[in-house]
Amino acid sequence: MAESYDVIIIGSGPGGYVAAIRAAQLGLKTAIVEREHMGGICLNWGCIPTKALLRSAEVLDHANHFKDFGLVLEGTVKPDAKAVVGRSRAVSARLNAGVGFLMKKNKIDIIWGEGKLTKPGEIVVGKSSKPVVEPQHPLPKNVKGEGIYTAKHIIIATGARPRALPGIEPDGKLIWTYFEALKPDALPKSLIVMGSGAIGIEFASFYRSMGVDVTVVEVMPTIMPVEDAEITAIARKQLEKRGLKIFTSAKVTKVEKGAGSITAHVETSDGKVQQITADRMISAVGVQGNIENLGLEALGIKTDRGCVVADGYGKTNVAGIYAIGDVAGPPMLAHKAEHEGVVCIEKIAGLPHVHPTDKGKVPGCTYCNPQVASVGLTEAKAKELGRDIRVGRFSFAANGKAIALGEDQGMVKVIFDKKTGELLGAHMVGAEVTELIQGFVVAMNLETTEEELMHTIFPHPTVSETMKEAVLDAYGRVLNA
């Protein structure tokens, strides 16, 4: 007899494991299927370990500017690649174990293997094709294994993987994905980063801080193309000041591999081709959903551009089958996946007043140096939609706390609807803006107007004061500029 559940979730990434916990909280008998490591890409190969690397880079950057703060540092501070990577993997392992603990605490069954939908309400779990290979990520104890399992509701939360360009496929040696970039045996002397989205620009920033000669190649006219162009222009200026070489409106047309190096043929917008040679290349040209071998085709589950089609509650076109997180399409962000998981489960449980996920209110954060964060419409998008807008800006150079911190290069930009005072978008570049952006996310979620923001008291001295000043600037009332 097949074991039966109320909910089975395929994938234990941020969307999957959070959905499982919420389901258990609501009294639903829940199981989660995982084939490789608890916590998914985010905890093991994405969000968390990259931030650990970037923290090492940040500390090193500060150490190299001790004199700016009137301090004397005896000797030389230099990176130890093995130790930096070791710390990152240890952080990942700690959180990986934490997810296993949360499953046990909430009485959620773990089924180890690869799940495949055979019909609505049923999945077959086979042997994993991806055995755990890292000693710091041991297989959880007391897990269930291969077999047939049934559930009233099945949630697909299988995440995504790096996308590859034909002819420039990663080989794990000379051409890396983020997997190899997270665990270099040694730091390369030079590096080409193909793609300047969040993943590409974060690795470019990290490796540059480590002393690597970094070149970024981006096919779009600006780096971080989904962000506001004015914000990314400031970020680019600061990144180039740190020594990064950046090509935009350019593409890698082919690569030539040497014994220990790679040469990229880079075609620029004027049709000219440059040959750039480096020790390694990172392919960061996006990700694609893990939709293969799930049985989607047999059940007639709709997909689009490599992702499962789902509504704001995670429902697919097949009753009882849901999809959340990266596999359900952009924005492919861990916090979006978590929120979708909670919304999906609460809808399944029949809770009243469950709101569908509003992707327009999902913040985006890029943890390069300087950081970039945003929520809502860019100025260009607002104009494209025909919105009559007011735009406010405030520079970190006019903020006392930023100057005291030695972090006076940055800006906050806000976009309001001129008629209603609705906050349409907020965009930031500078120190710790990934922590500040949530203030505007809350404001948008509460449908806060410009008047309410103007009457909010911000503590002084803080970098957060730039947020209020930007709002004031949009209405001609800026005080400190």
Side-chain angles (χ1 to χ4, degrees):
M1 290 289 292
E3 188 162 0
S4 182
Y5 294 87
D6 294 314
V7 177
I8 293 178
I9 301 158
I10 306 175
S12 71
Y17 88 76
V18 167
I21 292 171
R22 187 65 183 124
Q25 288 175 344
L26 292 172
L28 301 174
K29 185 181 178 183
T30 306
I32 195 161
V33 181
E34 178 54 56
R35 68 177 183 176
E36 191 170 7
H37 36 226
M38 300 302 294
I41 291 297
C42 177
L43 266 62
N44 295 280
W45 295 103
C47 321
I48 301 302
T50 56
K51 303 314 164 282
L53 293 181
L54 287 161
R55 176 59 172 168
S56 294
E58 182 182 23
V59 172
L60 180 58
D61 286 337
H62 285 315
N64 288 328
H65 292 88
F66 264 33
K67 289 183 179 180
D68 296 343
F69 297 89
L71 303 174
V72 177
L73 178 65
E74 300 290 346
T76 303
V77 178
K78 58 183 180 180
D80 179 339
K82 185 176 180 180
V84 168
V85 170
R87 176 180 181 273
S88 171
R89 302 315 299 159
V91 169
S92 172
R94 176 177 173 180
L95 290 169
N96 174 282
V99 174
F101 167 77
L102 289 171
M103 298 299 99
K104 182 178 180 180
K105 174 186 174 184
N106 289 279
K107 297 180 174 59
I108 298 162
D109 286 346
I110 298 173
I111 305 170
W112 204 260
E114 297 194 9
K116 185 173 183 177
L117 296 158
T118 49
K119 59 184 177 181
E122 180 182 278
I123 66 171
V124 173
V125 177
K127 185 178 181 180
S128 174
S129 63
K130 293 180 174 289
V132 177
V133 295
E134 290 193 78
Q136 62 263 57
H137 293 165
L139 192 69
K141 295 179 181 179
N142 303 318
V143 301
K144 298 179 182 293
E146 301 167 51
I148 299 173
Y149 298 87
T150 63
K152 299 174 185 175
H153 309 279
I154 297 174
I155 301 174
I156 301 167
T158 49
R161 64 185 184 278
R163 187 183 299 278
L165 295 182
I168 317 178
E169 294 87 356
D171 58 13
K173 296 178 181 179
L174 294 175
I175 304 178
W176 293 346
T177 64
Y178 52 74
F179 291 99
E180 294 80 26
L182 274 167
K183 291 183 61 179
D185 295 329
L187 292 173
K189 292 182 179 179
S190 54
L191 176 71
I192 300 167
V193 179
M194 183 172 61
S196 74
I199 293 173
I201 214 70
E202 285 182 4
F203 276 118
S205 182
F206 165 74
Y207 277 99
R208 182 63 201 130
S209 292
M210 294 291 112
V212 178
D213 182 12
V214 180
T215 301
V216 177
V217 181
E218 169 57 53
V219 69
M220 300 297 286
T222 63
I223 61 171
M224 294 177 272
V226 300
E227 301 291 348
D228 187 270
E230 189 174 1
I231 293 295
T232 60
I234 295 171
R236 177 174 183 166
K237 182 178 180 180
Q238 292 303 308
L239 290 166
E240 289 178 329
K241 187 176 179 180
R242 291 178 53 212
L244 272 79
K245 293 182 283 293
I246 299 173
F247 291 85
T248 49
S249 299
K251 60 182 178 180
V252 177
T253 55
K254 71 174 183 177
V255 295
E256 296 172 351
K257 298 180 181 180
S261 65
I262 187 163
T263 298
H265 293 243
V266 178
E267 182 179 329
T268 53
S269 57
D270 58 6
K272 295 180 180 179
V273 176
Q274 288 194 48
Q275 294 186 23
I276 302 172
T277 299
D279 294 339
R280 298 290 184 271
M281 171 188 278
I282 295 176
S283 176
V285 291
V287 296
Q288 61 190 75
N290 293 320
I291 62 172
E292 297 82 8
N293 304 315
L294 289 170
L296 305 182
E297 299 85 357
L299 271 65
I301 297 171
K302 289 183 181 178
T303 61
D304 181 42
R305 289 174 288 185
C307 294
V308 179
V309 176
D311 68 9
Y313 299 105
K315 295 180 181 179
T316 70
N317 63 303
V318 176
I321 306 295
Y322 310 80
I324 61 171
D326 289 0
V327 76
M332 294 181 175
L333 301 167
H335 44 279
K336 191 258 309 190
E338 290 185 10
H339 186 77
E340 285 181 331
V342 172
V343 167
C344 182
I345 290 296
E346 291 184 349
K347 190 67 173 178
I348 286 171
L351 267 63
H353 313 303
V354 180
H355 298 286
T357 299
D358 182 352
K359 294 182 179 180
K361 294 188 175 105
V362 177
C365 297
T366 305
Y367 299 82
C368 51
N369 181 9
Q371 295 181 3
V372 173
S374 64
V375 64
L377 301 178
T378 64
E379 181 179 359
K381 188 64 177 179
K383 290 177 177 176
E384 180 187 322
L385 294 173
R387 303 297 290 262
D388 191 10
I389 59 174
R390 286 180 177 269
V391 179
R393 303 170 180 84
F394 195 80
S395 171
F396 278 30
N399 175 262
K401 181 65 178 294
I403 295 170
L405 291 173
E407 301 281 4
D408 64 346
Q409 297 302 302
M411 187 177 77
V412 174
K413 177 178 180 178
V414 289
I415 301 157
F416 288 93
D417 184 283
K418 187 179 288 187
K419 295 178 182 178
T420 66
E422 177 190 2
L423 179 61
L424 301 176
H427 309 272
M428 304 175 171
V429 57
E432 298 305 324
V433 296
T434 57
E435 300 290 343
L436 296 180
I437 191 63
Q438 191 59 23
F440 282 133
V441 178
V442 171
M444 289 179 68
N445 204 48
L446 296 176
E447 300 181 353
T448 304
T449 65
E450 91 290 353
E451 184 176 352
E452 291 163 328
L453 285 168
M454 289 179 187
H455 282 87
T456 299
I457 300 172
F458 284 70
H460 174 79
T462 62
V463 179
S464 70
E465 290 174 280
T466 59
M467 299 165 66
K468 181 174 181 176
E469 291 280 9
V471 174
L472 292 169
D473 182 62
Y475 289 85
R477 293 175 53 181
V478 65
L479 298 171
N480 287 288

